[in-house]
């Protein structure tokens, strides 16, 4: 809007000014000048279409993901949470400096802030052993709606990448595992190997030997999130961790 107003004022001044103006109207009679203007307009239109319209077109017609880049200034941790919401992101990827959860909270770690408060799913990236990532995926299951959602995403990633998918059930938690629902989740996602672990869920999930660990999140905030299995396991695991959150309107 501001640009249109500025252009309108410039045009009004150019064509109504008496005497000296910003623009010499005699240039409009110069064929070379007019040709240059048309060429600049066409080039600008092509560049705009390439940068702004083509990604959206490819996403809509061919299903390609659209990746946006940019520079965000300000305190890292708060902005890392606000920016995904502004851009309506469905997943945010962030590297890990190896901070444990408590030190991350005290130091204002971006990864810690995202895992705790991001409105979308979060991929916490750690170094991989080969260029083929992921070769193996483990998804945490307990029969809950959150673990079903995580299993669906894990199965989709495995199908696209050819990775080996395994399920892990931690039996040592304070909440009972709905094993009937766990088997239903495995069946509904094409079937995959399932392993039981008698340890606490955080210990079991954080010690998996896989390229990618996928966990569901209940979306707890504040003090209630201090016991979050997905947050604690994401900080302690040696592999990359994808924390799945339900899509928000």
């Amino acid at each position: 809007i501001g640009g249109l107003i500025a252009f309108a004022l410039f045009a009004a001044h150019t064509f109504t000014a008496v005497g000296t103006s910003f623009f010499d109207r005699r240039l409009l009679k110069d064929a070379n000048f007019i040709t240059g203007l048309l060429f600049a307009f066409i080039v600008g239109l092509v560049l705009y279409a390439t940068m702004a319209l083509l990604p959206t077109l490819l996403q809509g017609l061919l299903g390609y993901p659209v990746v946006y880049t940019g520079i965000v200034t300000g305190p890292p941790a708060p902005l890392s949470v606000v920016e995904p919401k502004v851009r309506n992101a469905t997943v945010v990827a962030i590297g890990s400096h190896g901070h444990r959860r408590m030190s991350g909270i005290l130091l204002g770690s971006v990864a810690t802030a995202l895992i705790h408060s991001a409105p979308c799913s979060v991929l916490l990236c750690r170094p991989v052993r080969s260029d083929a990532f992921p070769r193996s995926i483990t998804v945490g299951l307990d029969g809950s709606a959150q673990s079903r959602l995580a299993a669906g995403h894990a199965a989709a990633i495995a199908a696209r990448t050819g990775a080996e998918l395994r399920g892990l059930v931690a039996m040592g938690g304070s909440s009972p595992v709905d094993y009937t629902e766990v088997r239903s989740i495995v069946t509904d996602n094409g079937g995959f190997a399932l392993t039981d672990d008698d340890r606490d869920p955080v210990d079991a999930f954080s010690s998996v030997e896989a390229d990618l660990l996928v966990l569901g999140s209940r979306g707890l905030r504040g003090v209630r999130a201090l016991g979050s299995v997905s947050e604690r396991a994401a900080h302690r695991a040696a592999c990359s961790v994808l924390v799945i959150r339900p899509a928000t309107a």
Side-chain angles (χ1 to χ4, degrees):
I1 296 177
L4 292 175
I5 294 175
F7 177 76
L9 292 175
F10 174 79
H13 171 77
T14 299
F15 291 103
T16 61
V18 178
T20 304
S21 66
F22 294 131
F23 180 76
D24 188 349
R25 293 189 294 269
R26 291 174 298 177
L27 289 174
L28 296 176
K29 299 179 181 180
D30 190 324
N32 292 329
F33 179 76
I34 296 300
T35 302
L37 282 180
L38 290 175
F39 180 77
F41 174 76
I42 293 172
V43 171
L45 190 63
V46 170
L47 290 176
Y48 172 78
T50 302
M51 293 186 295
L53 302 179
L54 184 60
T56 304
L57 181 65
L58 291 176
Q59 183 185 37
L61 296 181
L62 302 178
Y64 290 174
V66 176
V67 178
Y68 295 99
T69 61
I71 298 175
V72 181
T73 59
L79 278 178
S80 66
V81 174
V82 173
E83 185 70 7
K85 185 65 174 179
V86 172
R87 293 186 180 273
N88 295 319
T90 55
V91 63
V92 174
I94 186 73
S96 171
H97 288 287
H99 294 307
R100 286 300 183 98
R101 189 184 183 201
M102 188 53 64
S103 61
I105 294 174
L106 296 176
L107 296 174
S109 165
V110 174
T112 300
L114 278 172
I115 294 173
H116 180 72
S117 301
C120 59
S121 299
V122 178
L123 173 61
L124 183 61
C125 302
R126 292 188 171 93
V128 295
R129 292 167 289 182
S130 68
D131 293 335
F133 175 84
R135 296 179 302 176
S136 57
I137 302 173
T138 296
V139 57
L141 299 174
D142 61 5
S144 64
Q146 292 77 22
S147 71
R148 175 176 285 277
L149 183 62
H153 285 280
I157 296 172
R160 288 193 175 191
T161 61
E164 177 190 9
L165 176 61
R166 301 182 64 88
L168 179 61
V169 181
M171 307 297 292
S174 57
S175 301
V177 173
D178 186 347
Y179 222 97
T180 301
E181 182 63 16
V182 168
R183 292 193 183 94
S184 174
I185 292 173
V186 173
T187 301
D188 292 345
N189 286 280
F192 49 84
L194 195 61
T195 302
D196 294 345
D197 194 312
D198 293 332
R199 291 177 294 173
D200 173 87
V202 175
D203 293 332
F205 295 147
S206 61
S207 61
V208 300
E209 295 182 358
D211 289 341
L212 178 64
L213 172 64
V214 182
L215 297 173
S217 170
R218 290 183 292 168
L220 299 178
R221 297 290 187 271
V223 177
R224 292 194 304 161
L226 293 177
S228 169
V229 171
S230 59
E231 286 191 32
R232 292 160 63 196
H235 281 89
R236 290 176 51 180
C239 63
S240 298
V241 180
L242 176 59
V243 178
I244 299 295
R245 290 194 171 96
T248 56

